[in-house]
Amino acid sequence: MTLVTIIGARPQFIKAAVVSHAIRRIPGIREVLVHTGQHYDDNMSAVFFQELEIPEPAHNLGIGSGSHGAQTGRQLLAIEETLLREKPDCVLVYGDTNSTLAGALAAAKLNVPIAHVEAGLRSFNRSMPEEINRVLTDHCASLLFAPTDLAVQNLIREGIPQHAIHRVGDVMFDVALHFAHKAEQQSRVLTRLDLIPKQFVLATIHRAANTDDPVRLKNILDGLEQVARVIPVVFPIHPRTRVILEKQGRLPELSNNTPQLKVIAPVGYLDMLMLEKNAAVIATDSGGVQKEAFFYQTPCVTLRDETEWRELIDSGWNRLCPPSNPETIRHTILSARGARGNNVQPYGDGTAAEKIAALLT
Ligand code: UD1
Ligand code: UDP
């Protein structure tokens, strides 16, 4: 059988790292990897292919950035052309980005079955572009790979037939386990940034709700500056956030005013894993980073109003901090140091990728 896999954004490369390898071990499946080009900087794309030994994409559609409609529309057009050429038996999509939705729509219109990795996640906030992408993709898909029990419940509540839903676990847990040793062996990030384990905070910010709202973004940066006066903060800056801060002229001032706020370029996965594992606290609005904090038992503060990964809040490993004022952000991050949660294992046993590959045949 021929399977076309659509990827385009950083977290999708990371998820595909384990799934693609598992698929390619199964005789009789030909996987055609398609990169939409949504993320294109070397440190947002190429670094992951190289470090995680992801097979070279058969097609790079080179779509790049744009408004939601333009980006998704151009992806849809190019993916449709690729599907007409490759004639797949199934299209595999990951997560909730515009590349996910474009892949699902292109396949649905051509009557090609769709498999969705990370199905059933819900923030219940329809103003988030990702929520629309997830809901629509799940309702186009015929094979839904749910990471958690909560995700399964969400899908059932929306009327998705139970036989289409497979609770396989979370592929990001597989990736974290698989690359843990390589990261320990190869990453020099702690030395390079002069960091002492458990004596720094790691921060990442890129959600549109935070970056595109000047008040929320200012609150977050002011909050991080306050934290950095107490404990170093490492802030690998996402290109969306960098572009906005450059426009506001705030970028140079950030590190100059507070040298212990270390604003750095996005790092590769192996360095990220070491930063997450050794941080005292992680402050983030990323979906993937919230889970990785839990994998390493690092307390997490989520700078959002809600999260799809509800089980991390319920178990005490993560706390929500809507970025409404810098003082609350400072207090929540500093007081999370040393916090622990309950002994839970919501993300499976590290074999999600193998289960997915087996179910695809
Ligand atoms: C996208 C996803 C988001 C996901 C995130 C992962 C959508 C709607 N959003 O958000 O769900 O969490 O990826 O990181 O699909 N840019 C660069 N270089 C790049 C890529 C982007 O400079 O390689 C800049 C461009 O100015 C671009 C902006 O970042 O306009 C936003 O990129 P885009 O891919 O549209 O959305 P993300 O914020 O990355
Ligand atoms: N990540 C990385 N380098 C960075 C920031 C994040 O390798 O500088 C990894 C992180 O470890 C996780 C994934 O990127 O595996 C999360 O992606 P992102 O935060 O961009 O998107 P989201 O998960 O929110 O969709």
Side-chain angles (χ1 to χ4, degrees), residues 121-353:
L121 272 291
R122 296 292 180 267
S123 64
F124 302 104
N125 174 358
R126 290 273 171 120
S127 70
M128 251 185 116
E130 292 86 354
E131 185 76 350
I132 303 297
N133 292 345
R134 295 179 189 121
V135 171
L136 295 178
T137 301
D138 282 339
H139 285 259
C140 291
S142 49
L143 260 177
L144 295 98
F145 300 122
T148 61
D149 291 336
L150 226 56
V152 172
Q153 286 163 28
N154 290 336
L155 293 170
I156 291 173
R157 204 176 320 109
E158 291 177 18
I160 306 268
Q162 217 147 343
H163 64 81
I165 307 169
H166 302 273
R167 199 265 196 226
V168 291
D170 193 312
V171 293
M172 290 195 99
F173 185 38
D174 298 21
V175 192
L177 292 175
H178 191 85
F179 289 99
H181 182 69
K182 190 171 178 183
E184 292 282 354
Q185 296 294 306
Q186 294 189 6
S187 172
R188 301 281 171 272
V189 71
L190 299 182
T191 317
R192 195 169 74 238
L193 297 175
D194 200 16
L195 297 168
I196 302 168
K198 297 297 164 192
Q199 291 187 35
F200 66 94
V201 167
L202 173 66
T204 80
I205 295 297
H206 74 276
R207 289 281 155 214
N210 285 335
T211 58
D212 298 7
D213 177 334
V215 176
R216 284 171 81 104
L217 186 58
K218 184 175 182 323
N219 289 340
I220 292 170
L221 296 173
D222 290 353
L224 293 178
E225 277 187 333
Q226 290 188 23
V227 172
R229 290 192 196 108
V230 180
I231 176 171
V233 176
V234 180
F235 184 23
I237 195 162
H238 189 284
R240 169 186 283 279
T241 317
R242 176 182 42 78
V243 168
I244 290 170
L245 289 178
E246 273 168 357
K247 274 192 199 136
Q248 294 177 358
R250 182 146 190 207
L251 204 50
E253 159 213 321
L254 262 185
S255 299
N256 292 346
N257 287 358
T258 324
Q260 289 295 63
L261 177 55
K262 297 169 192 271
V263 183
I264 58 170
V267 295
Y269 182 75
L270 302 179
D271 281 351
M272 189 62 182
L273 198 151
M274 291 306 286
L275 289 171
E276 290 170 335
K277 195 169 173 182
N278 288 286
V281 177
I282 296 176
T284 190
D285 60 9
S286 157
V289 174
Q290 289 174 59
K291 281 179 291 170
E292 287 164 353
F294 166 75
F295 301 155
Y296 306 116
Q297 311 225 312
T298 301
C300 187
V301 173
T302 294
L303 297 164
R304 285 180 49 191
D305 299 347
E306 74 283 305
T307 176
E308 303 73 35
W309 304 101
R310 187 72 231 169
E311 56 284 333
L312 295 178
I313 306 292
D314 296 342
S315 61
W317 287 102
N318 191 0
R319 61 234 75 222
L320 283 173
C321 179
S324 51
N325 81 71
E327 187 48 43
T328 311
I329 294 172
R330 184 195 74 90
H331 175 74
T332 311
I333 293 174
L334 292 178
S335 61
R337 287 176 293 179
R340 297 189 59 78
N342 301 333
N343 190 9
V344 291
Q345 207 176 353
Y347 300 118
D349 59 3
T351 60

Side-chain angles (χ1 to χ4, degrees), residues 9-11 38-41 44 65-66 68 71 96-99 129-130 133 206-207 238-240 242-243:
R10 173 166 70 186
Q38 177 168 347
H39 286 174
Y40 43 85
D41 290 348
M44 292 298 289
S65 308
H68 285 285
Q71 185 182 56
D96 55 18
T97 71
N98 288 345
S99 299
E130 292 86 354
N133 292 345
H206 74 276
R207 289 281 155 214
H238 189 284
R240 169 186 283 279
R242 176 182 42 78
V243 168

